[in-house]
């Protein structure tokens, strides 16, 4: 079987239909539990049609993951008021990052990318560009606006955006990955989100804003 990265996705009239059906089944059954028959049935297409668009289930899952990441990023961006204080915008962004990271879907994407990284390195590459990198670029775009109005002072904008993403993962990510009991309560999430915003603002707020 060719590596996923080398396989092409064919887009056509039923592409979105197949993607919607796959999303429904992956969310319900997970990657391993999702059968091609169920996906085709949910999408209202034949297996032959499904395979004509996505010759590999991993490729289909990754397209679903990429579409979900874009949807989450677009929804978050639509809620952002560019004129709002930076701390408020960052809190919204942090909440979205944490919610996706801890969601069943977000966890499945991460685990599949790690588990299949040796055989299918293209999976991780694709998810990085449609997930973490997309979030970084959206954050960086807002940070530039906050800098332009004098609220923040940042030399390396991309690095700052990456730092903020990592601050949102503190404690929660490791506890989730290693299956620690009780992860992660609303109190846990609020604690990490509040600290991420406070630490970021303490580092990058302009002196006149203190």
């Amino acid at each position: 079987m060719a590596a996923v990265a080398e396989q092409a996705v064919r887009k056509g009239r039923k592409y979105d239909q197949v993607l919607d059906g796959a999303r429904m089944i992956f969310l319900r059954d997970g990657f391993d539990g999702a059968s091609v028959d169920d996906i085709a049935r949910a999408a209202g297409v034949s297996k032959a049609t499904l395979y004509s668009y996505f010759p590999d289930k991993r490729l289909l899952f990754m397209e679903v993951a990429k579409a979900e990441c874009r949807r989450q990023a677009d929804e978050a961006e639509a809620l952002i008021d560019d004129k709002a204080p930076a701390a408020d915008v960052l809190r919204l962004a942090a909440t979205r990052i944490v919610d996706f990271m801890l969601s069943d879907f977000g966890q499945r994407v991460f685990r599949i990318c790690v588990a299949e990284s040796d055989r299918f390195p293209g999976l991780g590459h694709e998810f990085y560009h449609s997930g973490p990198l997309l979030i970084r670029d959206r954050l960086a775009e807002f940070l530039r606006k906050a800098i332009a109005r004098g609220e923040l002072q940042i030399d390396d904008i991309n690095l700052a955006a990456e730092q903020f993403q990592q601050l949102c993962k503190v404690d929660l990510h490791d506890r989730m990955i290693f299956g620690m009991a009780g992860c992660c309560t609303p109190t846990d999430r609020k604690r990490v989100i509040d600290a991420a915003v406070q630490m970021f603002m303490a580092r990058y707020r302009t002196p006149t804003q203190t």
Side-chain angles (χ1 to χ4, degrees), residues 18 24 27 61 91 175:
V18 171
M24 180 190 309
L27 286 175
F61 184 86
R91 188 175 305 280
R175 289 171 64 191

Side-chain angles (χ1 to χ4, degrees), residues 23 111 156 198:
R23 181 180 183 276
R111 289 192 171 104
D156 191 331
Q198 290 165 9

Side-chain angles (χ1 to χ4, degrees), residues 106-174:
Q107 292 180 50
R108 285 169 182 157
V109 171
F110 177 82
R111 289 192 171 104
I112 288 169
C113 287
V114 172
E116 302 287 350
S117 60
D118 288 339
R119 290 190 302 160
F120 300 99
L123 282 174
H125 183 271
E126 288 287 330
F127 180 66
Y128 173 76
H129 280 82
S130 61
L133 187 61
L134 176 63
I135 294 171
R136 188 204 74 181
D137 290 345
R138 298 285 179 93
L139 280 172
E141 184 177 346
F142 169 74
L143 294 178
R144 289 187 182 93
K145 294 175 182 177
I147 292 168
R149 65 175 181 247
E151 191 172 357
L152 299 177
Q153 185 173 314
I154 303 173
D155 292 327
D156 191 331
I157 296 174
N158 285 340
L159 177 62
E162 294 275 11
Q163 288 172 332
F164 186 72
Q165 287 190 79
Q166 295 304 314
L167 287 172
C168 295
K169 296 180 179 181
V170 170
D171 187 41
L172 299 176
H173 183 264
D174 286 350

Side-chain angles (χ1 to χ4, degrees), residues 27-210:
L27 286 175
R28 188 190 72 187
D29 300 336
F31 177 77
D32 291 328
S35 73
V36 173
D37 286 332
D38 285 346
I39 293 172
R41 190 176 301 112
V45 300
S46 67
K47 286 176 64 175
T49 297
L50 189 151
Y51 279 125
S52 73
Y53 284 98
F54 300 97
D56 186 278
K57 190 169 82 165
R58 293 176 185 84
L59 185 64
L60 174 55
F61 184 86
M62 190 49 56
E63 283 297 303
V64 171
K66 288 162 61 177
E68 184 68 11
C69 288
R70 287 192 297 269
R71 184 183 71 80
Q72 295 270 353
D74 290 344
E75 286 183 357
E77 191 171 36
L79 294 174
I80 290 175
D81 177 1
D82 288 341
K83 298 178 181 178
D88 292 348
V89 174
L90 291 172
R91 188 175 305 280
L92 171 62
T95 300
R96 287 287 182 150
I97 291 170
V98 168
D99 285 349
F100 181 75
M101 176 181 67
L102 297 180
S103 68
D104 287 343
F105 191 80
Q107 292 180 50
R108 285 169 182 157
V109 171
F110 177 82
R111 289 192 171 104
I112 288 169
C113 287
V114 172
E116 302 287 350
S117 60
D118 288 339
R119 290 190 302 160
F120 300 99
L123 282 174
H125 183 271
E126 288 287 330
F127 180 66
Y128 173 76
H129 280 82
S130 61
L133 187 61
L134 176 63
I135 294 171
R136 188 204 74 181
D137 290 345
R138 298 285 179 93
L139 280 172
E141 184 177 346
F142 169 74
L143 294 178
R144 289 187 182 93
K145 294 175 182 177
I147 292 168
R149 65 175 181 247
E151 191 172 357
L152 299 177
Q153 185 173 314
I154 303 173
D155 292 327
D156 191 331
I157 296 174
N158 285 340
L159 177 62
E162 294 275 11
Q163 288 172 332
F164 186 72
Q165 287 190 79
Q166 295 304 314
L167 287 172
C168 295
K169 296 180 179 181
V170 170
D171 187 41
L172 299 176
H173 183 264
D174 286 350
R175 289 171 64 191
M176 178 265 294
I177 290 300
F178 294 113
M180 300 301 292
C183 182
C184 298
T185 67
T187 300
D188 293 331
R189 298 181 187 212
K190 184 178 185 303
R191 170 174 166 263
V192 170
I193 290 169
D194 288 347
V197 175
Q198 290 165 9
M199 185 171 288
F200 189 89
M201 293 300 296
R203 170 64 179 86
Y204 291 114
R205 182 189 288 114
T206 56
T208 55
Q209 295 291 322
T210 58

